[in-house]
Amino acid sequence: MRSKSQNPINYKLILIGFFLVFLLFLVLRSTFSPSPPQQTQSSAVIHPSNSSEDQENTEDKPSIACPSVPLTQTCNKISPSLANALVHYATSNVTPQQTIKEISVSLRVLEKKSPCNFLVFGLGHDSLMWTALNHGGRTVFLEEDKSWIEQIQSQLPNLESHHVVYDTRITQADELMEIGMSNEDCKKVTDPRFSKCQLALKGLPKEVLEIDWDLIMVDAPTGWHDGAPGRMSAIYTAGLIARNKENGETDVFVHDVDRVVEDQFSKAFLCEGYLVEQEGRIRHFNIPSHKARLGRPFCP
């Protein structure tokens, strides 16, 4: 009978023991196992790391890399003249007549003065380049061959060019040199249209003569054979235009100075005293205004 009376007590102890063990298991599980809030926090840590990578990618952008550049930038297109020049020379097998070193002489001046007024004797394969380098300024070309003007304008209608008639020949170079050096009318700084010097070009367009030119390039007319007009008048008139400028100075460039006419006439009428430099076949003169200082000699 005793044994029967003790059994209920033993069962109670066993049940209490299981209950305590179960409670201990729950406590241990809650302590060592991640809770749902912790899992949510852990998953939230992943997203900031992704956005951190996005921020690193954003830092690669110029607006972040260059503190001096504003964060909101405007996309500026390249100039139409430069775009046309890039396409033209990239798709053309014809290169400019001047070498890189020769072009660099004029380019250094353009970098300082452009946008400016740039007058070029000659319409050639480098005309689009000169227009692009003087973007925002006015670049005008004077050409002897009317059919060539029409051909170029059909391809490059934005170039401003004028037809000029020359009434000289290379065979007259010596005679014209003698006239230019001995005739006092050729040492007077006047409008070419009214000059009494035989070397002056009197048929230039009115708009060409009424502009103060900052740069003048003489790379025409044709001068490599006896029947060609030669550059005697072009060189003399370029010097006259430069001296007629209201104020300041005009940079004048003469190409092909390895030839007799270009060599002699540039030294005589653009003056060796105004010579700045020579690179290859190009010669650079810097001619001051004679209007701003009356009485200045034709050559220093």
Side-chain angles (χ1 to χ4, degrees):
M1 295 291 300
R2 185 175 176 175
S3 59
K4 288 182 181 178
S5 62
Q6 292 177 347
N7 285 339
I9 297 173
N10 292 335
Y11 287 132
K12 288 180 179 180
L13 290 175
I14 293 172
L15 289 175
I16 292 172
F18 276 113
F19 181 72
L20 292 175
V21 170
F22 180 73
L23 286 177
L24 180 63
F25 173 76
L26 292 177
V27 171
L28 292 174
R29 182 180 179 184
S30 63
T31 303
F32 294 101
S33 298
S35 61
Q38 290 176 336
Q39 289 179 354
T40 303
Q41 184 177 2
S42 173
S43 64
V45 173
I46 298 175
H47 295 293
S49 74
N50 288 337
S51 63
S52 171
E53 293 176 0
D54 293 338
Q55 290 176 357
E56 291 177 0
N57 293 335
T58 305
E59 290 176 357
D60 293 334
K61 296 180 180 180
S63 59
I64 303 299
C66 302
S68 61
V69 179
L71 295 179
T72 56
Q73 301 183 38
T74 302
C75 181
N76 295 321
K77 296 181 179 179
I78 62 174
S79 66
S81 58
L82 178 57
N84 291 334
L86 289 172
V87 173
H88 175 75
Y89 292 113
T91 58
S92 174
N93 294 324
V94 182
T95 56
Q97 292 91 327
Q98 299 183 24
T99 66
I100 293 178
K101 288 184 177 180
E102 291 168 353
I103 292 172
S104 298
V105 175
S106 309
L107 177 59
R108 285 193 293 270
V109 178
L110 279 169
E111 287 176 342
K112 295 178 182 178
K113 290 192 171 183
S114 65
C116 61
N117 293 324
F118 188 8
L119 180 64
V120 183
F121 285 80
L123 181 65
H125 298 294
D126 54 1
S127 297
L128 190 59
M129 175 190 69
W130 296 127
T131 303
L133 294 176
N134 189 34
H135 174 65
R138 185 174 184 181
T139 307
V140 178
F141 302 92
L142 304 177
E143 174 57 37
E144 62 188 291
D145 189 342
K146 199 169 185 178
S147 62
W148 178 248
I149 294 178
E150 295 173 354
Q151 181 179 339
I152 294 297
Q153 284 185 337
S154 65
Q155 302 172 3
L156 306 168
N158 293 329
L159 294 183
E160 183 180 354
S161 56
H162 300 275
H163 180 231
V164 177
V165 177
Y166 296 89
D167 56 3
T168 57
R169 292 293 179 268
I170 284 287
T171 53
Q172 300 174 290
D174 291 339
E175 177 187 352
L176 290 171
M177 173 62 76
E178 185 178 350
I179 292 173
M181 297 301 292
S182 60
N183 191 337
E184 288 301 317
D185 288 328
C186 295
K187 302 296 178 64
K188 295 178 180 178
V189 181
T190 58
D191 188 316
R193 292 171 293 184
F194 311 124
S195 174
K196 295 180 180 180
C197 181
Q198 191 175 339
L199 280 166
L201 283 171
K202 299 175 177 60
L204 292 179
K206 180 181 178 181
E207 55 267 35
V208 170
L209 296 174
E210 292 181 350
I211 294 176
D212 278 347
W213 298 100
D214 303 294
L215 279 79
I216 301 176
M217 173 76 70
V218 181
D219 205 1
T222 309
W224 56 270
H225 60 87
D226 289 344
R231 299 178 186 173
M232 299 81 70
S233 294
I235 292 172
Y236 175 82
T237 305
L240 209 56
I241 292 173
R243 291 176 177 89
N244 268 297
K245 189 176 183 179
E246 287 294 333
N247 290 288
E249 301 170 336
T250 302
D251 292 280
V252 181
F253 306 89
V254 179
H255 194 224
D256 298 315
V257 293
D258 55 322
R259 301 192 302 218
V260 175
V261 167
E262 285 79 354
D263 175 42
Q264 293 182 354
F265 276 74
S266 64
K267 288 179 179 178
F269 301 109
L270 300 180
C271 306
E272 291 186 77
Y274 292 142
L275 178 61
V276 177
E277 65 175 314
Q278 179 175 336
E279 177 64 55
R281 298 173 298 152
I282 198 162
R283 201 169 278 166
H284 173 203
F285 299 85
N286 184 263
I287 302 177
S289 166
H290 282 224
K291 280 191 174 182
R293 180 180 168 185
L294 298 177
R296 188 191 295 268
F298 193 82
C299 281

